[in-house]
Structure formats: C-alpha cells, structure tokens
Amino acid sequence: MGDRRRPAGSAASGGPAYGGPDAGSDAGPDSWTRASAAGREAWAGAPVAGADTYDPATDPALVTDPVPASAAGPLTDGFPVRRTAATAGKAATTEAETEAAPGTPPSRKPGRDRYLDLLRSLALVRVVAFHIFGWAWLTILFPSMGVMFALAGSLMARSLKRPAVSVIRGRLRRLLPPMWLFAAVLLTMMIVGGGWNPTKDPDLGSGFAGLVKLLEYIVPVGAPPYPAELGSDSTGILGATWPDDAAGPLWYLRAYLWFVVASPLLLWAFRRFPWPTLLAPLGLTVLIDAGLVSIPGETGNAVTDFAVYGSCWVLGFAHHDGMLKRIPRYAVVSGSAFVMAFALWWASGHLGDEGWNLDEMPFVQAAWSLGFVAILLQYSPSWQELPGRLARWDRLVTLSNNRAVTIYLWHNLLIAFTFPILDKAYELPFMQSEGAVSMLDSTYDYWPFVLVWPMLAVAIVAFGWMEDLAARRRPRLWPNGAGKGRARAAGSRSAGHPA
C-alpha cells in the first residue's frame, strides 16, 4: 500500500464492517407465522384473492416479519412453499433470473466474502515485500494498491444503503483512532527522541504554520508531515531517513479519506453514467502524464492519487452492483488484457530511474491496476469459506483482515528496526567465524522479511486493540477467528450427536 517510497535499506473501513443490520421484528397480528402448519399449507396451495394486484412488498405483515428459518423453500405471493422435484427446476430458473436482473445487485449470503479477504491479505503481504526488497516487478505481479482501493469501494457501495453521513462518520471513526495511536508514538520518536522541531522546519513554513501542519496527523486531509532526514546514519540506531520509512506510506490514509468522502457523489454518478464515471480517472492520468494537468504540492499529490486509483474504487462499485457479472466474461478478460498490454507497451518507452516500477508512471499504474482488478473481480467466487488447501491459511487471513490498518500503519517503521537488529547479530558469540559471517552477508537482504512478521505480531497485540475500540467492539489481542472456529465445531458435533 505505501508503494511510493523506496524500500528500507535499499540503494517506498475502519476496518470495514461486514454483514447487514439486524433482520426482522415482532410478527404482525395477521402474519402467516402465527398460523398453524395446516393453515400455512392451505394458504400456500390456495389461490390468492386479488392476485393480479397483490404486491407482497406492500403487505405490512410481510414487511415486518422475518422469514422463519424453517421455511421449506422460496416465497410465492409472499408465502413459503414446499419445493418438490417438479417445482425445483422452475424455482432455480426464477432465482437465477432475479439475481441477474439489470440494475439489481446480486444477492449474497450474509457474512464475510473469504475471496475478498484473501485478496486483501495478499495485498498486505505484497506491500511488506515491496518495502523490504524494492523489486519493481512486484508492482506488475500484484498491484496491491489497486486491489485495496477496489475492495474498499465495493464495501463502501454496500454500506451506502444507509444514510451517507452516518456511513462516512463510521468509516472515519474506524480509521482515525488507530492512526492517532500510531501518530502519538511516531511524533514522540521524532520530536522527543530525534529533536525535530516542526516550527523551525523550512519545509513546513515557519512558526505557527508548522504546528498547523501537524493537525494532519489528526485528520489526514493531506499527507502528514515529517522530516526528510533525522539524525545520521553513524549516530542513530535507525538510518537518517527513518521518518520517511515510517510516515511515507500515510499518503494512503489521506487518499482513502477523500475517496470515502467523495463516495456518495461517485456512486450517484456511477449508477447514472457508469462508463464515463469508471473511465474518467483513467483519462485524467493521461493528462497528468502528458503534463497538461500539473498541480504543485500536496494538492497535486492528492489529485494524482485520485486519478490513479479512482477507476479501481469505482470498479468496486461495479462489483457490488453486479455490473461485471452482467458483462460476458470473455469481454471483460479480453478487454482487460488489451488495456494491460497497452500499459506495458507504453511503460517500455517511458522507463525512469526505477525501471519497471509502475508507481512512478501514473497512467501505466492506473491502466494496469484497472485491468488486473477487473479480472480478479470478474472471477470473484464469493467464498463463504476458504476452499481446499487454502483453508490452512484461514486464521492468518482472518487475523490480517481484522488488523489490516494496524499492519499497514506499523509495518514500515518495524522494517526500519530490522536492520539494526541484524547488525547486532554479527556480535553474537556463534557469529564470530568467517563461515557464519559469510552466511549472514549472503542472506542479509532476506532476513528483514523473516524478522518483520514476529515484530508485526507484537504490534498487533500491543496496538491492534485500538481497531476494536474504533469499531465499538470488545478489544481482542489476537482476533484470528479461532474462538468462532471452535464454537462452530462444537455446534456441529452437538448437531450430529444429539443428547
């Protein structure tokens, strides 16, 4: 996610809520739920008076009553019917046609979509790997930022069934407290530990203006400020550029905040003008790359981020509304492949100092991410559980999704700490031989990737609870779903072996 910084040591939703509101209320006096079983069978088999004008959606009894869990099949004119071999085929056809109705989001079972959870986990791992190794080809292999913004856009569209103001407030409430905790630690390290004085930083202005800039650590309308260098490589534990390592990726939170605020308008525009809304940000990147649109400073960075990832965010709307499923798969795949191929062809003639790092080429990054994410979401299987061998990763996927903000906020600062830890390893008694030193030298670049994960585990325990408080949940130290798994297993055993 913070792909725009150079890797450390190199020569760069609120967790979203899942599930819907509580369903149902007390049964009405005329509801079929108060009738006997025989009465319900009679209703289901008998013709309904005024069937030509009856609309179940306007029946007060049906509007206020939850469908019983024991209902034997779908509803016919508002009543449950038993599904037989003769009616099963017709029912399946009717349900399929309902799901595919134009303009209607496809129905989904409640709960988390484990396919989307898996994509989010892969994106986080790819971000950590890129910030350690700096391999430019990782931006091609898996465009994690485009994936993350698309997933967030899909969940935002889902949430906007509720009033927009409450949705935006809820998203910010989930995002900001974890950032405040990180900011408190980071600012203490920079100001108290490193001697940074924002009022004397020439990059922030002078005097009071420097303090005002610090407010962006409270509400990141712009990327929060930090010194480019602090201390020196020879005197500090961390390298002189550690503030950039730690705070540089915070641009993502600024971009996420503005996408959340703009989502009601973007969703309104998308549902009326889908293709122009989807492609407009991509067109803006063409103007930016051509130099026809040039906005200096932090405002220019914000506009560029919106242009690069705006199409992916809107593509999340398309995924939620079922637009991608209504387009033939071959059309989505072939169209996306053409866009991605053109992006790589364009990049080949515009390589900069960092080679194939797509983060340095706005149009290429936008086009490649759009095509890549469109294919991922076109094939979206909507898993309720991870299938096959993927199931062994279930707890880690659950943990990383429950602590996605914590992992993102802290990973780069922790990466910076892996290098002095490795340097201290040379002083260990068993590392005094030439062979041991040679072994560590040859594998030095890979050890940060090994060390950062247990360090992130400590950060999850130490700071991750803030995500629960922000979401108004009971704080948990290690939310990997193990407790729910044991509860499901116990329920299955009791169901299979009744007392």
Side-chain angles (χ1 to χ4, degrees):
M1 299 168 13
D3 285 1
R4 54 188 53 223
R5 61 168 292 277
R6 296 180 185 271
S10 70
S13 124
Y18 291 86
D22 295 336
S25 58
D26 293 338
D30 299 322
S31 172
W32 56 268
T33 59
R34 296 185 179 276
S36 65
R40 290 196 296 269
E41 291 291 337
W43 290 342
V48 180
D52 292 338
T53 59
Y54 176 71
D55 183 2
T58 62
D59 188 333
L62 298 180
V63 169
T64 59
D65 290 346
V67 179
S70 59
L75 298 179
T76 297
D77 288 335
F79 302 107
V81 297
R82 295 185 181 275
R83 187 174 284 185
T84 65
T87 61
K90 180 179 179 181
T93 302
T94 302
E95 291 170 5
E97 291 173 352
T98 300
E99 290 181 359
T104 303
S107 60
R108 292 184 177 91
K109 296 180 181 179
R112 300 184 73 117
D113 187 328
R114 300 301 279 165
Y115 176 73
L116 301 186
D117 285 353
L118 179 63
L119 292 182
R120 187 177 293 105
S121 298
L122 291 174
L124 287 170
V125 172
R126 207 285 281 160
V127 166
V128 174
F130 180 80
H131 285 167
I132 291 174
F133 301 116
W135 295 330
W137 55 266
L138 285 174
T139 63
I140 300 174
L141 178 66
F142 194 85
S144 59
M145 299 311 301
V147 171
M148 292 297 295
F149 280 117
L151 298 182
S154 179
L155 290 169
M156 192 66 188
R158 175 179 176 176
S159 297
L160 282 172
K161 297 174 183 177
R162 307 192 306 273
V165 173
S166 66
V167 171
I168 293 173
R169 185 170 58 245
R171 282 287 184 266
L172 297 184
R173 188 191 73 238
R174 289 169 175 267
L175 174 72
L176 295 180
M179 179 182 171
W180 295 339
L181 180 58
F182 175 76
V185 175
L186 180 61
L187 288 174
T188 300
M189 292 177 62
M190 292 191 298
I191 296 175
V192 179
W196 179 49
N197 189 343
T199 63
K200 297 181 179 179
D201 190 327
D203 294 332
L204 303 184
S206 59
F208 185 70
L211 294 178
V212 172
K213 289 283 188 180
L214 293 183
L215 295 177
E216 291 174 347
Y217 280 98
I218 299 177
V219 181
V221 293
Y226 55 88
E229 294 186 358
L230 199 60
S232 65
D233 292 333
S234 59
T235 60
I237 296 177
L238 302 174
T241 60
W242 73 265
D244 180 61
D245 296 336
L250 294 181
W251 71 269
Y252 170 76
L253 278 70
R254 182 231 25 230
Y256 179 87
L257 182 149
W258 283 112
F259 276 125
V260 166
V261 172
S263 281
L265 178 60
L266 287 175
L267 187 59
W268 176 89
F270 170 74
R271 288 176 173 168
R272 285 156 181 80
F273 315 102
W275 287 107
T277 306
L278 177 64
L279 298 177
L282 182 63
L284 181 56
T285 63
V286 175
L287 301 179
I288 292 173
D289 264 359
L292 300 178
V293 173
S294 179
I295 304 175
E298 186 57 32
T299 302
N301 292 335
V303 171
T304 299
D305 292 336
F306 173 83
V308 172
Y309 299 109
S311 290
C312 288
W313 187 274
V314 176
L315 194 62
F317 296 167
H319 172 259
H320 172 268
D321 286 4
M323 173 181 169
L324 289 177
K325 295 297 184 183
R326 294 194 294 272
I327 302 175
R329 177 169 292 178
Y330 75 86
V332 173
V333 174
S334 58
S336 298
F338 174 79
V339 170
M340 295 165 70
F342 180 81
L344 292 184
W345 172 80
W346 179 267
S348 67
H350 298 80
L351 299 180
D353 294 338
E354 298 192 26
W356 285 91
N357 183 358
L358 302 190
D359 296 329
E360 303 302 315
M361 297 174 276
F363 166 71
V364 178
Q365 176 70 282
W368 180 264
S369 297
L370 177 63
F372 195 99
V373 172
I375 294 174
L376 287 179
L377 296 183
Q378 170 61 238
Y379 280 90
S380 179
S382 297
W383 294 327
Q384 298 301 305
E385 296 180 356
L386 293 177
R389 295 183 178 180
L390 290 175
R392 70 183 66 177
W393 302 98
D394 182 81
R395 292 186 180 181
L396 288 178
V397 169
T398 300
L399 178 66
S400 62
N401 277 265
N402 283 328
R403 292 293 181 261
V405 177
T406 299
I407 293 171
Y408 181 75
L409 284 172
W410 292 91
H411 80 277
N412 240 22
L413 178 59
L414 297 179
I415 289 172
F417 273 103
T418 63
F419 295 100
I421 292 175
L422 279 174
D423 292 340
K424 287 292 183 181
Y426 285 98
E427 301 176 9
L428 294 173
F430 56 83
M431 292 297 301
Q432 302 310 306
S433 67
E434 283 191 22
V437 171
S438 176
M439 182 276 296
L440 186 55
D441 285 343
S442 62
T443 58
Y444 187 94
D445 291 340
Y446 301 97
W447 279 106
F449 190 75
V450 176
L451 293 176
V452 74
W453 299 109
M455 296 171 71
L456 278 171
V458 174
I460 286 172
V461 173
F463 308 112
W465 49 268
M466 183 58 79
E467 291 195 57
D468 291 326
L469 291 184
R472 298 177 179 175
R473 293 191 299 256
R474 178 178 57 84
R476 299 164 294 172
L477 294 180
W478 196 253
N480 66 346
K484 293 182 179 180
R486 288 193 294 268
R488 286 195 299 267
S492 299
R493 287 195 298 270
S494 62
H497 301 84

